[in-house]
Amino acid sequence: MSAHPFAREPKRLIAQREAARHGVLDEAVVLTRAECEDIIQRALRASKADACRVSVNSSYDTNVRFADNQMSTSGITDDASVSITSFVGKRSATVLTNDLTARGLETAVAQSEALARLAPEDPESLPELGPQRYVEIPAWFDSTAQLSADDRARAALTALEVSRRANDLQVAGFIECNASARAIGNSAGLFAFHRGTRANYTLTVRTADGTGSSWSGADENDWSKIDFRAMATRTIERARASREPRAVEPGRYTVIFEPQASADFLGAIRGTLGARAADEGRSAMAKPGGGTKLGERILDSRISLVSDPADAQILNAPFDNDGLPLQRETWVENGILKQLSYDRFWAQKQGVRPTGGGGGFGGGGGGFKMLGGDSSIDAMIRGTERGVLVTRLWYLRAVDQRTLVYTGLTRDGTFLIENGRISRSIKNFRFNDSPLLMLNKVDAIGPTVRTDGGVFPAIKARDFAFTSLSDAV
């Protein structure tokens, strides 16, 4: 456990932190808005640079890990850090410290100023933003913040107890909970604050004969939304069903991607929405010969992609690293490319509104979501004469960024569909395909599910390219 070197730490914080060490994730362990603002103002008062930006992050993390049918570790970590960026003309430098005392902040400010004077000029440097208005995002849930170590252990036991009674299973899992606060302030008067909670659970079940495997994951701001017992039941049933997989010929198949597989594969689209790469002809959103695909149909007309920090399935910070407010952005609507992401520099150069992101994908803080449909996975299977059910992908690597072709492997349960039902488990495949191609061959779309990689639905699509077999389970 790390220790916070507060020189003037309030007694309330010390008392709450002691309570937290007994396993309770208490919200008072995380810095409040007033405490963050105080730290930022103390750093800004010490600044002698042309401009200064101060970012404060504090977090309290707890976890339970289990493997081989045994509880293995239970951990608690708390941390607080301050990032200070000083600007001298177009030169800048950043120093990160977790010494929040007056002397610690003054030292970090002085170091960042000294380093800034040595740094080369950044021709793309822009003045700091002034005061902004932000949407309040209700991302803090006491159901997550007030969990005890016993609560997390009981959740783990929903899988462990079943596996211990059985003689054919081995389970492993990780439950990780987080409460955090983030604040940004600068010498131009900007101040932004956000706090939130997050609970993440991953469960792997292997059969004792070594031939079957299944994986499930859940990610929520609100712990009470995770049905641990249902996850255990589903993952165990699937692991047993995946035993003794048989090889089928690689080739083009109708596929049904469960939401996690959709997130693993389709999340790659997020990285190709940057306006600068498209304008410079370096991405899949660039047109041959020049220009971008803005306004063109690039996907099936049922596909819409958005980001929105206030979306009930996302609930992220409403600002990026520059303090720029984030809002709902519609990147693709009914298959048509409606928007590309612009950081502040590229937006100013092109004369458009910045979408945020500080140089990368503007929707990063706003999450990434593909709007869903109303088809269940069972209905997709019943309507499939021959196809492959994919539960999860693994080891994805980009092959060609201009077409967004990726290679990767299926994993933890792949199944053959014949005549409207799952007929058997099959060996895993390596694939080479593009999410942009897949989303032009869609047959059905399911409701959206939040995963670790974004919010995506199950998808049924035609002619997905499996290129070889893998013996891995």
Side-chain angles (χ1 to χ4, degrees):
M1 178 187 299
S2 63
H4 288 181
F6 284 98
R8 298 179 298 168
E9 191 172 37
K11 292 181 180 178
R12 178 178 63 84
L13 277 181
I14 297 173
Q16 295 291 354
R17 198 163 283 125
E18 285 302 312
R21 289 191 171 98
H22 291 88
V24 177
L25 182 64
D26 194 291
E27 64 179 275
V29 173
V30 177
L31 295 176
T32 66
R33 178 188 184 98
E35 289 162 344
C36 290
E37 197 160 16
D38 175 65
I39 292 168
I40 288 171
Q41 290 305 317
R42 282 193 282 137
L44 291 176
R45 283 196 294 272
S47 172
K48 298 180 178 62
D50 296 339
C52 183
R53 183 193 308 165
V54 184
S55 300
V56 180
N57 291 284
S58 70
S59 62
Y60 190 88
D61 298 278
T62 60
N63 65 75
V64 164
R65 188 187 299 275
F66 54 97
D68 196 20
N69 295 342
Q70 300 293 326
M71 205 79 77
S72 56
T73 62
S74 177
I76 302 173
T77 304
D78 64 277
D79 194 15
S81 63
V82 179
S83 171
I84 298 170
T85 302
S86 293
F87 299 87
V88 178
K90 286 185 172 294
R91 307 173 193 271
S92 66
T94 299
V95 168
L96 181 69
T97 181
N98 63 357
D99 184 349
L100 309 187
T101 64
R103 173 174 289 187
L105 291 175
E106 290 169 1
T107 299
V109 169
Q111 288 175 336
S112 68
E113 291 175 355
L115 290 170
R117 292 188 180 92
L118 298 173
E121 289 193 346
D122 178 3
E124 299 182 4
S125 176
L126 292 177
E128 287 293 276
L129 290 169
Q132 305 288 312
R133 299 183 66 178
Y134 305 103
V135 176
E136 191 77 21
I137 306 294
W140 183 282
F141 288 83
D142 287 343
S143 59
T144 306
Q146 296 180 357
L147 284 171
S148 69
D150 288 346
D151 294 328
R152 292 184 291 277
R154 279 193 289 272
L157 286 172
T158 58
L160 283 168
E161 288 178 341
V162 177
S163 63
R164 288 167 180 170
R165 287 195 298 269
N167 58 9
D168 64 338
L169 300 172
Q170 290 181 326
V171 302
F174 189 50
I175 299 172
E176 185 177 27
C177 301
N178 165 272
S180 63
R182 180 186 180 206
I184 299 174
N186 67 24
S187 52
L190 178 145
F191 180 76
F193 177 81
H194 172 76
R195 70 171 191 164
T197 56
R198 181 186 179 196
N200 182 274
Y201 178 40
T202 58
L203 173 65
T204 301
V205 180
R206 293 289 179 97
T207 58
D209 63 5
T211 67
S213 179
S214 181
W215 183 95
S216 293
D219 190 88
E220 298 286 351
N221 297 88
D222 182 357
W223 164 273
S224 67
K225 287 187 176 181
I226 300 178
D227 190 336
F228 290 89
R229 195 165 299 280
M231 273 184 66
T233 300
R234 183 174 66 252
T235 313
I236 288 170
E237 289 176 350
R238 176 160 291 168
R240 286 172 169 153
S242 69
R243 285 178 295 196
E244 300 179 354
R246 297 183 184 179
V248 299
E249 283 296 317
R252 291 191 174 275
Y253 285 83
T254 291
V255 291
I256 297 172
F257 274 25
E258 293 198 346
Q260 183 61 54
S262 295
D264 294 337
F265 190 51
L266 304 178
I269 295 175
R270 172 169 37 192
T272 197
L273 292 173
R276 186 168 190 168
D279 288 338
E280 295 176 348
R282 297 183 283 111
S283 84
M285 298 305 153
K287 289 168 60 172
T292 73
K293 296 179 181 177
L294 269 175
E296 294 187 3
R297 183 177 299 283
I298 62 169
L299 302 173
D300 182 281
S301 62
R302 290 166 290 179
I303 305 299
S304 293
L305 302 172
V306 304
S307 60
D308 184 356
D311 186 287
Q313 289 184 294
I314 296 174
L315 299 182
N316 268 346
F319 50 86
D320 70 0
N321 291 336
D322 290 345
L324 186 77
L326 300 177
Q327 62 186 44
R328 184 180 179 87
E329 304 285 356
T330 299
W331 309 107
V332 175
E333 186 175 41
N334 300 326
I336 295 174
L337 181 62
K338 304 292 288 187
Q339 172 73 288
L340 293 170
S341 70
Y342 291 85
D343 63 17
R344 292 177 58 216
F345 170 77
W346 202 248
Q348 178 175 282
K349 184 178 176 66
Q350 302 295 75
V352 300
R353 175 181 65 83
T355 60
F361 170 64
F368 195 60
K369 179 174 183 176
M370 174 179 163
L371 302 189
D374 57 5
S375 181
S376 69
I377 293 177
D378 287 344
M380 294 181 193
I381 292 172
R382 286 196 298 273
T384 303
E385 183 176 347
R386 183 176 171 81
V388 175
L389 175 65
V390 179
T391 62
R392 187 189 181 202
L393 301 178
W394 181 252
Y395 211 69
L396 278 80
R397 294 292 184 272
V399 175
D400 181 359
Q401 292 288 5
R402 295 193 180 187
T403 56
L404 214 59
V405 169
Y406 270 70
T407 187
L409 297 164
T410 63
R411 182 170 178 174
D412 294 314
T414 305
F415 299 90
L416 184 67
I417 302 168
E418 294 179 300
N419 302 317
R421 66 180 186 85
I422 293 176
S423 59
R424 66 177 59 164
S425 65
I426 57 176
K427 288 192 174 185
N428 286 305
F429 286 116
R430 172 169 290 282
F431 65 85
N432 283 279
D433 213 316
S434 165
L436 298 176
L437 294 175
M438 180 181 184
L439 291 183
N440 273 291
K441 297 178 289 186
V442 171
D443 279 344
I445 303 171
T448 55
V449 175
R450 173 168 162 171
T451 73
D452 198 14
V455 181
F456 288 91
I459 296 172
K460 179 179 176 181
R462 306 177 301 278
D463 298 327
F464 191 79
F466 293 116
T467 52
S468 61
L469 290 171
S470 168
D471 287 328
V473 296

